[in-house]
Amino acid sequence: MGEGLVQIQPRDSYSLVEANLRCLRKLQLTESKSKSLSAVTMDATNFYTQFDSVMGENILNLVMGAPSESMLKMAASKFQQATIARMEGELPQWLMHYGAESGDGKFLTAMATFLSEEYGAPVAREDLVTTAGASMGLVLLANLLFTSSDLVFVENPTYFVATKVIGLDSGMTMVPVATDSGGINTDELEKALESKVGQRQRELTDRRPFWGMLYLVSTIHNPTGVSLTTERCRRVVELARKYNLLVVCDDVYNLLYFGDKPPHRLFQFDKKSDPDYKGNVVSNGTFSKVFGPGCRIGWLEAPKRVKEIVLSSGYMSSSGGWNHTMSGIMGSVINSGSLKEMLQIARPLYQEQCQMACEVLRTQLPGASFVEPHGGYFLWVRLPGNISGEEVAKRLKEQYNTLILNGSKCSITGDFKDCLRVTYSFNSKDRVRQGVENLVKVVKAMQAETA
Ligand SMILES: Cc1ncc(COP(=O)(O)O)c(C=O)c1O
């Protein structure tokens, strides 16, 4: 039995739940997505969510990257209506069969129209493939198009679980690249590419045609909230073509922008009309952030050569299209206007909470620095005076039962030790305020100790 592995002897279902919760608490999992292999092995039959041990009235969770409870409730109700509508609609039995490889036709048509409107730029139906969410999209691309001897260039900082997916699950070697308020630093990216270009470990093949991967959250970044400038978008595409990279963009917060105009996407800079176009960018989308992560549904928007590899995989031959039943229901959610309605509620809600969190920091902790996000869920805060984010997170948990992600967890080099990621979306406005005020209290106490 590995370190931290818990074996539970259930007496009845109630004591099993209690025992499981006690054990999970003992494991002190502040973020169950980052828990060790040994901590994931218990029977989860009686749990509602992946995060049961780190949620509840007594825990203020500022780590959670999920829609607010109010939005999830709304999603449940919309989902119920859409399911009935779809199952009473045309030929529901075929939604229960193995699905078409790219996904349910009606869903893809609805998605292409919906995304074109929401992004303010055309999305072609033939570029779309249904997935079981962005994590799965990334796993799929890493495993189908690369081998474990390949390199993946990642932003520093980056989405902290993606590095587990590509580094741990796929075994690829990660190369960090610096970022700033304009997204990934393309000069640094070029230097990193140039320094590694001689290290190709294998011959390229039709099924694995790329030299390496570049993993980006180029629009409304997790954790920093910034987006790649248009100039850098152009440069990334040039570099991807020159060095034969597949750029995988987790486009998961794009629809949650604040303000009137949707942000641009890197995908649209890889223009099919360019004379040297081959298709080097994939947009990896999901309904997790805008509807509900429990649905486990997302999509790839991919160039033809990538889509062909995905659709002809053994995995897909065996399974048919992914999440077929769910995609039929999501098509109904979209066509009924429910998703649009939810976005119109979520955007101002999250924006208001974001502005409030920024205001608390500006007025109560002026030494902290941050770029005010233009969408998404997270505020990336640099603490004043080199204060340790890890120590702040530890004290917040011990003294205020408030959970926060310390910045170095978002870095494959362990940098950003004086940073924190604050989620403003998941909790109610009052709870977010309370959490940020707790943060201020802890930082001020630490400042007083060293004054
Ligand atoms: C950048 C990014 N990519 C992917 C995911 C996971 O997406 P999904 O739930 O669709 O697997 C998250 C969730 O936190 C995220 O922030």
Side-chain angles (χ1 to χ4, degrees):
M1 193 184 289
E3 196 194 334
L5 185 69
V6 181
Q7 225 171 24
I8 294 165
Q9 297 298 326
R11 285 182 304 256
D12 53 55
S13 61
Y14 174 75
S15 54
L16 175 65
V17 175
E18 284 297 294
N20 275 341
L21 285 174
R22 272 200 307 277
C23 291
L24 275 171
R25 283 188 190 112
K26 261 194 210 153
L27 290 167
Q28 295 188 312
L29 303 173
T30 54
E31 162 70 71
S32 48
K33 280 195 171 181
S34 65
K35 64 198 169 203
S36 65
L37 179 67
S38 56
V40 199
T41 50
M42 63 185 66
D43 174 11
T45 321
N46 290 293
F47 291 94
Y48 282 114
T49 82
Q50 187 185 15
F51 300 104
D52 282 3
S53 65
V54 285
M55 284 190 336
E57 275 176 25
N58 298 326
I59 304 176
L60 219 170
N61 192 322
L62 298 180
V63 178
M64 189 88 68
S68 70
E69 191 176 350
S70 63
M71 293 309 303
L72 291 173
K73 266 191 185 159
M74 198 181 298
S77 148
K78 305 277 187 206
F79 183 77
Q80 185 184 23
Q81 292 156 17
T83 307
I84 293 168
R86 181 61 189 92
M87 292 307 170
E88 285 175 349
E90 196 187 327
L91 303 174
Q93 68 272 29
W94 301 130
L95 260 196
M96 310 308 288
H97 197 16
Y98 284 107
E101 283 85 346
S102 310
D104 176 66
K106 283 204 171 69
F107 168 68
L108 295 176
T109 303
M111 281 292 288
T113 310
F114 173 78
L115 289 175
S116 301
E117 273 173 32
E118 292 295 328
Y119 288 157
V123 170
R125 183 189 185 280
E126 68 269 16
D127 291 345
L128 299 174
V129 179
T130 310
T131 65
S135 306
M136 186 229 184
L138 182 58
V139 169
L140 199 68
L141 296 169
N143 291 343
L144 292 180
L145 288 116
F146 295 93
T147 70
S148 56
S149 66
D150 289 332
L151 297 177
V152 50
F153 296 81
V154 298
E155 294 155 305
N156 195 17
T158 188
Y159 167 45
F160 74 114
V161 196
T163 53
K164 203 173 164 192
V165 172
I166 37 194
L168 181 70
D169 298 355
S170 305
M172 295 171 78
T173 302
M174 291 184 281
V175 182
V177 183
T179 61
D180 55 34
S181 59
I184 192 166
N185 180 323
T186 40
D187 292 337
E188 292 297 320
L189 173 62
E190 186 164 20
K191 272 191 221 154
L193 289 164
E194 206 42 50
S195 74
K196 300 286 178 191
V197 80
Q199 296 184 15
R200 179 177 294 161
Q201 305 260 357
R202 64 173 173 89
E203 289 304 309
L204 301 181
T205 63
D206 288 348
R207 293 202 75 84
R208 290 191 164 80
F210 295 98
W211 171 66
M213 184 199 282
L214 170 60
Y215 169 75
L216 294 180
V217 189
S218 53
T219 308
I220 313 179
H221 190 262
N222 176 1
T224 64
V226 305
S227 292
L228 195 63
T229 62
T230 49
E231 194 189 318
R232 288 188 182 176
C233 284
R234 283 190 199 95
R235 189 86 187 103
V236 166
V237 170
E238 271 169 32
L239 292 172
R241 289 178 184 174
K242 177 172 171 195
Y243 290 91
N244 189 20
L245 299 178
L246 179 68
V247 188
V248 179
C249 289
D250 267 3
D251 279 337
V252 308
Y253 300 101
N254 301 45
L255 299 174
L256 292 172
Y257 57 90
F258 306 152
D260 303 331
K261 213 169 152 254
H264 56 261
R265 292 178 310 133
L266 184 60
F267 186 83
Q268 70 203 59
F269 288 81
D270 193 20
K271 290 199 179 80
K272 289 178 186 164
S273 55
D274 288 348
D276 56 344
Y277 173 85
K278 281 192 180 158
N280 288 75
V281 181
V282 174
S283 169
N284 189 22
T286 180
F287 288 99
S288 289
K289 310 300 171 182
V290 295
F291 195 72
C295 296
R296 290 286 86 223
I297 181 157
W299 64 94
L300 298 177
E301 194 182 349
K304 189 164 176 274
R305 61 173 171 161
V306 172
K307 190 177 162 185
E308 277 172 5
I309 295 168
V310 171
L311 295 191
S312 61
S313 65
Y315 186 11
M316 196 160 251
S317 300
S318 175
S319 70
W322 291 300
N323 238 333
H324 183 51
T325 310
M326 189 61 81
S327 67
I329 296 166
M330 282 311 298
S332 171
V333 168
I334 293 168
N335 287 332
S336 67
S338 293
L339 193 57
K340 196 175 185 66
E341 196 188 316
M342 285 183 62
L343 284 171
Q344 282 164 354
I345 295 169
R347 286 181 193 130
L349 176 74
Y350 298 153
Q351 181 174 24
E352 194 190 342
Q353 302 199 169
C354 172
Q355 284 171 342
M356 182 271 301
C358 292
E359 196 49 29
V360 171
L361 285 176
R362 255 186 230 112
T363 51
Q364 298 184 28
L365 198 63
S369 54
F370 54 87
V371 176
E372 189 160 339
H374 62 113
Y377 285 175
F378 309 114
L379 182 60
W380 180 244
V381 183
R382 190 173 289 275
L383 297 165
N386 262 329
I387 284 181
S388 154
E390 189 176 357
E391 183 60 22
V392 171
K394 184 166 160 272
R395 292 191 189 195
L396 266 170
K397 187 175 173 215
E398 285 167 1
Q399 295 169 15
Y400 296 99
N401 240 351
T402 299
L403 308 181
I404 206 159
L405 190 69
N406 98 59
S408 58
K409 290 211 167 144
C410 303
S411 167
I412 59 168
T413 52
D415 289 329
F416 304 100
K417 288 191 171 42
D418 57 347
C419 292
L420 294 168
R421 190 190 79 174
V422 181
T423 306
Y424 50 75
S425 60
F426 179 69
N427 292 280
S428 67
K429 191 173 171 190
D430 287 349
R431 301 256 294 165
V432 176
R433 177 187 291 279
Q434 183 61 60
V436 179
E437 286 179 352
N438 292 345
L439 164 65
V440 171
K441 280 188 229 156
V442 166
V443 173
K444 283 193 168 163
M446 286 171 73
Q447 283 176 320
E449 282 168 22
T450 52

